[in-house]
Amino acid sequence: MRELIRPLVVAPMAGGPSTPALVTAASRAGATAFLAAGYKTPAAVEDELRAVRGAGIPYGLNIFVPVPPPADVEPLERYRAVLQPEADRYGIELPALRLTDDDHFADKVELAVAYAVPLVSFTFGVPPEPVVRALRAAGCAVLVTVTDALEAQRAVAVGPDALIAQAGAAGGHSATTDPAGYRGATTAAEVLRAVRAVSDVPVVAAGGVASAAGVRDLLAAGATAVQCGTAFLLAGEAGTRDAHRRAIRSGDHRETVVTRAFTGQPARGLRNRFTDAYSAAAPIGYPAIHHLTAPIRAAAAKAGDTGALHLWAGTGFASARPGPAAELVAAFRPED
């Protein structure tokens, strides 16, 4: 597995940024990059696997572990009512609550097995042990994303090949299985140390890394590799929305916040009007809230209004630079 996981890993970024072009370019430049299966249909995932499979590069696929539906829907209904002014603002109707959605988990695992994807990572929980066994039997190395020592212990029990230790500084969704208690206050070094203390499997450190020096420090601290995502949002091969790119580069956003306002799961992004207005009111409820706010975000994107967009970014976002993926990989190589 170590020959597949290079010292620099380009994170899976669901919702558009991760593309076959980004994965191919970054991997050819010396990193290991992941496709993001989240939110996509199985057919779309298969198209992307076909696009990268013949490139002769190490690559990975990230899959969301299904989250159980909420036991109490009343907080979600209340939040739906709170969001009505946003629907009025953009002239849209809020959808009815969608409480069940496994993101085609079984189908995506089957695709990973069929294509013998070299690296398969999981987010939002620990995959069932039979899934891990099936993937490993197909020649896939399995990685599970964790945010603390307890999650690491649970993950190790199913026999993964490696863990991804995700810090609170990371952009986008946290993999935490305790969204109520999550604050996003940890650094990559802290989570790496905590995870290595309870596990002897290789650990990929992730979250808030914004320089080659940061990569070197984490490797020196015992990480097998270091995963970066925000640093590649502005890559020419990334599928990042133009509005998202502009927001990162504008200088108008000075900080990131952890919020459940957009999806019901803690996620770090640029602070904007929506996070200010709704973070305090947003309950736990992924993916129901993701589906509830999707029309708002789509309307805001159409209007060019970054005030209601989920502008995922880690704490090191100010260091992100545009350019070809190969140049960005070169800038983050730990030996440089």
Side-chain angles (χ1 to χ4, degrees), residues 302-331:
K302 185 176 181 180
D305 179 8
T306 59
L309 290 181
H310 55 296
L311 303 170
W312 300 148
T315 55
F317 75 95
S319 298
R321 296 291 181 267
E327 290 184 6
L328 301 180
V329 169

Side-chain angles (χ1 to χ4, degrees), residues 2-305:
R2 290 183 183 273
E3 66 275 13
L4 297 175
I5 301 182
R6 294 161 170 175
L8 180 65
V9 175
V10 179
M13 296 175 281
S18 290
T19 64
L22 176 61
V23 169
T24 301
S27 293
R28 283 177 173 163
T32 295
F34 277 75
L35 295 169
Y39 310 127
K40 295 186 176 79
T41 65
V45 173
E46 186 166 17
D47 286 344
E48 294 193 350
L49 290 174
R50 288 191 182 119
V52 301
R53 183 173 61 166
I57 56 172
Y59 71 95
L61 177 71
N62 177 256
I63 300 174
F64 290 170
V65 176
V67 177
D72 182 8
V73 301
E74 185 177 347
L76 304 183
E77 292 285 7
R78 287 199 300 268
Y79 190 55
R80 186 178 184 277
V82 168
L83 291 175
Q84 187 58 49
E86 295 297 320
D88 297 340
R89 174 191 292 263
Y90 296 110
I92 61 169
E93 287 191 23
L94 292 175
L97 290 176
R98 181 178 171 184
L99 300 177
T100 58
D101 176 13
D102 69 356
D103 199 42
H104 307 284
F105 179 75
D107 291 338
K108 291 173 181 178
V109 169
E110 286 182 11
L111 283 170
V113 168
Y115 280 78
V117 176
L119 299 162
V120 181
S121 68
F122 291 92
T123 304
F124 295 155
V126 179
E129 189 172 357
V131 167
V132 175
R133 288 200 303 267
L135 287 164
R136 297 190 72 187
C140 312
V142 176
L143 302 87
V144 180
T145 310
V146 299
T147 64
D148 58 30
L150 180 58
E151 289 176 358
Q153 290 173 317
R154 292 170 179 162
V156 168
V158 302
D161 296 277
L163 300 177
I164 300 170
Q166 184 196 42
H173 282 108
S174 169
T176 181
T177 56
D178 178 25
Y182 185 80
R183 298 294 179 267
T186 54
T187 67
E190 290 168 346
V191 181
L192 172 65
R193 184 166 54 249
V195 170
R196 293 188 73 229
V198 299
S199 169
D200 58 3
V201 303
V203 180
V204 179
V209 183
S211 66
V215 174
R216 285 195 298 270
D217 288 347
L218 290 167
L219 292 175
T224 295
V226 178
Q227 180 170 282
C228 300
T230 301
F232 290 88
L233 282 173
L234 302 183
E237 298 89 344
T240 312
R241 282 175 170 163
D242 287 343
H244 196 168
R245 292 174 184 268
R246 290 196 304 271
I248 290 173
R249 300 190 65 194
S250 68
D252 295 336
H253 300 271
R254 302 299 178 89
E255 62 181 321
T256 61
V257 294
V258 174
T259 182
R260 297 194 300 255
F262 292 107
T263 67
Q265 176 75 3
R268 183 176 291 280
L270 301 181
R271 180 182 176 185
N272 63 4
R273 178 182 63 78
F274 201 91
T275 63
D276 284 350
Y278 300 106
S279 291
I284 297 166
Y286 181 87
I289 292 176
H290 160 72
H291 293 301
L292 179 62
T293 66
I296 295 171
R297 290 177 280 140
K302 185 176 181 180
D305 179 8

